[in-house]
Amino acid sequence: MLALFEHLALAAGREIMRVYHAGFEVDRKADASPVTEADRRAEEIILAGLRETFPAIPCVAEEEVSAGIVPADLGRAFFLIDPLDGTKEFVNRRTDFTVNIALVRDGVPEVGVVFAPCTGRLYSGQPGFAEFVEVDADFAVTARHAIAARAGGAPLAVVASRSHNTPETDAYIASLGAAEIVSVGSSLKFCLVAAGEADVYPRFGRTMEWDTAAGDAVLRAAGGSTATLDDAPLAYGKRNQANDADFANPHFIAKGR
C-alpha cells in the first residue's frame, strides 16, 4: 500500500508541475477557497489508482467532497486524499505545496505519504517506521533516509502556518518562551517535526482531515503525536459534528517526542 501511495503521489506531482509551468486559471469553490486544474487532475490520478487496487476501501477526497461525492459508510478503514495541499502556495508560485495520501484505520492515520513536487521532498510513514525520500527532477527516487522525531531542547523550534496564522497561535508560541519560528506551508509542518527538524506545530486555525491525515501519519510513525487542546489524540472520520462540518478538525498541537 505504501509503495502504491508513493507511486501515485509521484504521478500526481508530475501532473501538478506540468500545470504549474504551463499556467492555469484559479477558480473559487463554495467556501471561497481556490482550486485549479492541478487539484482536479492530481485527484483523478490518485483516485483511479486507489480504486483499481483497493476497490473495497472508501475514498474521501477533497475535490469530490466539494462536489458532494462522499461515501455513505466509511467502515473501519478509508483513504483520505488532498491532491494539492497548499493551493494558495501553488497559486502564489511558492514551493511548499504537497500531495497528501493517507489510510485511516479505526480513526487513526496509519499509513501516509506527503510529496512536495516542487522541491522533490517526499515523506512516508507506516506503523513504526518513517522516512524521507529524495526525488529527482524526473520524479525518480534517488535516496531514502529513516527519520525520527526528536526530544525538544531549548530553544524549541516551532513550525507555523505561512498562510493561516492566528492570534491564538502567536499567544501559544509566546507561552513556550524563547522559540525559533519556521514558517512553512501545507502538511510539510508535520514532516519537519517528524524528521526532527522542528519540535512543535500548533494549529489554531481551521483544517480538514484531508489536510492533516498524511502528515499526521508520518509524524506518528516517526514517534511524534498529534492531540487536541484537551490532550486527546486527533481522531479521523468525524461526521455529524454538532458544531462543525463533516471531516473538520478541532484545534490541535502536533509535537515530537
Side-chain angles (χ1 to χ4, degrees):
M1 182 180 287
L2 188 58
L4 176 65
F5 282 12
E6 288 189 9
H7 170 76
L8 294 175
L10 292 172
R14 184 191 298 273
E15 185 62 19
I16 286 169
M17 294 310 299
R18 192 197 66 76
V19 175
Y20 184 84
H21 292 303
F24 51 88
E25 294 184 356
V26 180
D27 299 322
R28 295 285 168 177
K29 294 188 283 191
D31 63 359
S33 62
V35 62
T36 70
E37 179 185 5
D39 298 78
R40 300 185 184 101
R41 291 192 177 187
E43 184 166 295
E44 289 172 0
I45 289 169
I46 296 166
L47 289 176
L50 292 176
R51 286 170 172 160
E52 178 181 6
T53 310
F54 299 103
I57 300 180
C59 294
V60 176
E62 180 179 14
E63 304 313 326
E64 280 201 341
V65 172
S66 179
I69 302 171
V70 188
D73 182 13
L74 298 179
R76 289 188 58 192
F78 65 98
F79 295 124
L80 269 169
I81 302 103
D82 189 342
L84 179 47
D85 182 35
T87 301
K88 289 183 179 179
E89 278 70 32
F90 178 82
V91 169
N92 290 319
R93 299 291 181 171
R94 299 188 185 119
T95 62
D96 45 357
F97 50 84
T98 60
V99 179
N100 298 348
I101 310 173
L103 172 77
V104 171
R105 192 189 309 276
D106 295 328
V108 177
E110 195 169 271
V111 181
V113 164
V114 174
F115 176 45
C118 211
T119 58
R121 299 164 66 190
L122 186 148
Y123 297 86
S124 69
Q126 58 182 312
F129 182 73
E131 62 182 355
F132 165 60
V133 182
E134 297 180 49
V135 177
D136 66 17
D138 295 320
F139 295 89
V141 171
T142 58
R144 295 178 178 272
H145 313 275
I147 58 174
R150 70 187 184 191
L156 291 175
V158 181
V159 279
S161 175
R162 174 172 285 157
S163 301
H164 303 282
N165 203 13
T166 66
E168 293 88 349
T169 305
D170 292 337
Y172 177 81
I173 293 172
S175 75
L176 297 176
E180 298 176 354
I181 310 300
V182 179
S183 180
V184 66
S186 73
S187 52
L188 287 171
K189 293 182 285 293
F190 284 102
C191 299
L192 292 181
V193 179
E197 297 177 40
D199 301 301
V200 184
Y201 163 34
R203 186 58 183 245
F204 291 87
R206 183 176 179 81
T207 60
M208 303 300 288
E209 292 183 11
W210 44 79
D211 298 319
T212 62
D216 194 358
V218 174
L219 176 59
R220 297 188 198 203
S225 62
T226 304
T228 61
L229 301 188
D230 58 3
D231 209 30
L234 183 63
Y236 291 79
K238 301 181 293 293
R239 306 184 81 170
N240 302 312
Q241 301 190 86
N243 300 310
D244 213 335
D246 287 1
F247 308 111
N249 287 324
H251 297 167
F252 61 82
I253 308 292
K255 57 188 177 181
R257 297 176 186 271

